[in-house]
Amino acid sequence: MTATAPTDVRPDPPENDRGGDATALAGFGYRQELHRSMGRYASFAAGFSFISVLTTVFQFFAFGFSFGGAAFFWTWPAVLAGQLLVAACFAELAARYPLSGAIYQWSTRLSTPSFGWFAGWIMVIGQIVVVAAAALALQVVLPAIWPGFQLFGGDPSPVTPSGAANAALLAVVLLVLTTAVNLLDNRVMSAVNRIGVTAEIIGAVLIVVLLLTHSERGAGVTLHTGGQGGAIGALLVGSFTAAYVLIGFDSAGELSEETRSPRRTAPRTILLALVSAGVLGGLLLLGGVLAAPSLTDGRLATEGLSYVLTSSLGDGVGKALLIDVVIAIAVATLAIQTAGARMLFSMARDGVLPFSARLAKVSPRTGMPAGPALAVGAAAAALGLLNLASPEAFLAIGTTCIAMLYLAYAMVTGPMLVRRLRGEWARGPGADEVDESGRPLFSLGRWGLPVNIVALAYGLFMTVNLAWPRAAVYDPSGGHWYFQWFTVLFLLGTVGIGAIARAWRARRAIPAPEAGPAPEAGPAGGLPEGAA
């Protein structure tokens, strides 16, 4: 069964409906409320800025190296390969269901309204946590540019009490700014994204070139694990860096209702964003290991890439490049907050959340849902303030958000695999399965089943790996059992609170929309008749 909006929201298509995008959206039961002004590069920028290799590699490089040593580099291509399989599945879905709240919409239409609701709920909570984690990344960079950015104490390391408190303050300031941008016209938000992504790509390429030309050792060093624990355990934990970086490529799908010709654009930009970020991020990791002044003095495991840039390239060049990293962090926080706001909006307009009427409101002038943007920003700021309680919260927040997103992804690839095994998923695009320009929809064809199987297995394995309560990872100082079990407890709490919220909403006067079949006519394509 699939969830659709009430039939009374179906409007007449607007006169300026270029390409029939709004008409196709009306076929799913939704009116065109968000402004459809984004082109291909803006769609790519949405996915790339969520991934934001400069933000996340700088944030988690030290952690990955501290556990896996130089060999943690090899976890990068392994995670990238797994995520590419997931992205390929999402590309198929983006072509068939170009809707905001992609994970929620896809899971609902592939399974049941209840299962899809929990997929959307877990995803949006995960996105809120990712927003907080991205904003906290400022602490890794700003004090390295100028000590004056360290307003609390003297130690800027995010795992110290003074560094953790300072990270919380910087994060709140950034979230105020990104929330303000999210309340403006979506053309402003899109322009900020495009400019930021362009600056990030240029900066990342420059950093890679400079690091590789300042290498202190050969690539053979990446065959030595080092770090903490045995080789396998160290690499499993070292993979957290790649796992944290290579998420969010689905954001191109999240913004489908603001993208022109989304059936053709979103599948390509989902894959392009992940491949581009994967290549750049892998080269950053390799360049950092090869150019570090020392692999044994302990600084690489605590200060990460910021230390490599300022030590190897000099303060002037190093700090100039770190400014580009600050831009990347700000744009990433904005992009992730936007994706979370669209997820809340998508669920709210179906009437399945508390306060749905307020959260589903879109300003006709700006085309932006203000309520979801404010809710995501406020919740992320509250999570960021957990850093004031303990430095361990920095790592707990980061790893928890990854596990949440991986689980939500599996709640899409899982039902998708069930459909394939039942023979209810189209093997390839048929005559009626075309995009806005009349071309066949993106399809994996005969490779769909094996890709889907491995994508689901990989996603479930990584979810367990990320959530496993390792004391050495989550509670290195000891005595804080709640941090050791933070990810598991947070997941359980999310599901429990979600069940309460869903039950509360069910008792309200306005019921959730009834399920119905996915549209069969026109360019909607997708599942065969009766599959929903």
Side-chain angles (χ1 to χ4, degrees), residues 188-230:
V188 176
M189 179 272 296
S190 177
V192 172
N193 255 346
R194 294 196 306 271
I195 294 170
V197 164
T198 302
E200 179 173 3
I201 292 174
I202 293 172
V205 171
L206 284 175
I207 292 173
V208 167
V209 171
L210 289 170
L211 289 178
L212 292 178
T213 54
H214 286 74
S215 296
E216 298 284 342
R217 57 194 62 83
V221 71
T222 59
L223 300 177
H224 304 289
T225 52
Q228 306 176 37

Side-chain angles (χ1 to χ4, degrees), residues 118 121-122 400 404 407 485-500:
F118 276 102
W121 176 255
I122 290 171
T400 295
M404 298 279 285
L407 179 58
W485 291 85
F486 187 88
T487 300
V488 175
L489 293 173
F490 197 93
L491 280 169
L492 292 175
T494 296
V495 173
I497 294 173
I500 294 171

Side-chain angles (χ1 to χ4, degrees), residues 392 471 475-481:
E392 282 84 356
D475 187 25
S477 60
H480 303 90
W481 65 269

Side-chain angles (χ1 to χ4, degrees), residues 99-123:
L99 301 168
S100 290
I103 299 298
Y104 158 69
Q105 293 283 354
W106 297 342
S107 183
T108 298
R109 294 168 189 277
L110 291 170
S111 56
T112 65
S114 294
F115 189 84
W117 187 93
F118 276 102
W121 176 255
I122 290 171
M123 184 67 183

Side-chain angles (χ1 to χ4, degrees), residues 7-35:
T7 55
D8 60 0
V9 303
R10 297 176 185 238
D12 293 328
E15 294 179 3
N16 62 346
D17 183 16
R18 291 180 299 176
D21 293 333
T23 303
L25 182 60
F28 288 102
Y30 300 120
R31 66 162 60 96
Q32 184 70 60
E33 294 181 283
L34 304 174
H35 290 179

Side-chain angles (χ1 to χ4, degrees), residues 391-472:
E392 282 84 356
F394 177 83
L395 181 59
I397 290 173
T399 50
T400 295
C401 70
I402 318 171
M404 298 279 285
L405 265 64
Y406 268 80
L407 179 58
Y409 287 174
M411 294 177 75
V412 173
T413 55
M416 190 179 189
L417 177 59
V418 171
R419 288 301 181 91
R420 291 187 191 277
L421 293 175
R422 289 177 177 172
E424 296 172 347
W425 182 262
R427 294 183 178 276
D432 61 336
E433 293 180 291
V434 295
D435 63 23
E436 300 86 348
S437 62
R439 300 172 183 171
L441 295 181
F442 177 90
S443 175
L444 293 173
R446 67 182 65 182
W447 290 99
L449 182 59
V451 166
N452 202 160
I453 291 173
V454 180
L456 176 60
Y458 158 79
L460 293 175
F461 171 79
M462 284 301 295
T463 301
V464 173
N465 180 39
L466 292 162
W468 199 263
R470 301 175 176 91

Side-chain angles (χ1 to χ4, degrees), residues 62-254:
F63 173 80
F65 183 83
S66 69
F67 275 90
F72 96 105
F73 163 77
W74 294 107
T75 64
W76 187 276
V79 171
L80 175 59
Q83 289 295 70
L84 279 172
L85 299 178
V86 177
C89 293
F90 285 5
E92 278 196 315
L93 290 165
R96 288 157 176 79
Y97 302 109
L99 301 168
S100 290
I103 299 298
Y104 158 69
Q105 293 283 354
W106 297 342
S107 183
T108 298
R109 294 168 189 277
L110 291 170
S111 56
T112 65
S114 294
F115 189 84
W117 187 93
F118 276 102
W121 176 255
I122 290 171
M123 184 67 183
V124 75
I125 299 301
Q127 287 171 324
I128 291 171
V129 183
V130 178
V131 175
L136 289 170
L138 280 179
Q139 181 62 25
V140 182
V141 183
L142 280 180
I145 296 174
W146 180 50
F149 286 118
Q150 182 62 35
L151 304 175
F152 292 99
D155 193 339
S157 173
V159 296
T160 62
S162 60
N166 202 66
L169 174 62
L170 296 176
V172 170
V173 172
L174 177 57
L175 286 167
V176 170
L177 295 175
T178 57
T179 301
V181 174
N182 254 306
L183 297 178
L184 299 173
D185 191 285
N186 77 335
R187 288 173 294 186
V188 176
M189 179 272 296
S190 177
V192 172
N193 255 346
R194 294 196 306 271
I195 294 170
V197 164
T198 302
E200 179 173 3
I201 292 174
I202 293 172
V205 171
L206 284 175
I207 292 173
V208 167
V209 171
L210 289 170
L211 289 178
L212 292 178
T213 54
H214 286 74
S215 296
E216 298 284 342
R217 57 194 62 83
V221 71
T222 59
L223 300 177
H224 304 289
T225 52
Q228 306 176 37
I232 295 178
L235 291 178
L236 286 176
V237 177
S239 69
F240 284 20
T241 298
Y244 180 66
V245 177
L246 300 173
I247 54 174
F249 44 85
D250 54 294
S251 290
E254 291 284 1

Side-chain angles (χ1 to χ4, degrees), residues 290-311:
L290 300 186
S294 172
L295 299 182
T296 58
D297 64 0
R299 295 188 65 183
L300 195 57
T302 55
E303 301 175 47
L305 277 182
S306 298
Y307 150 70
V308 180
L309 285 188
T310 54
S311 299

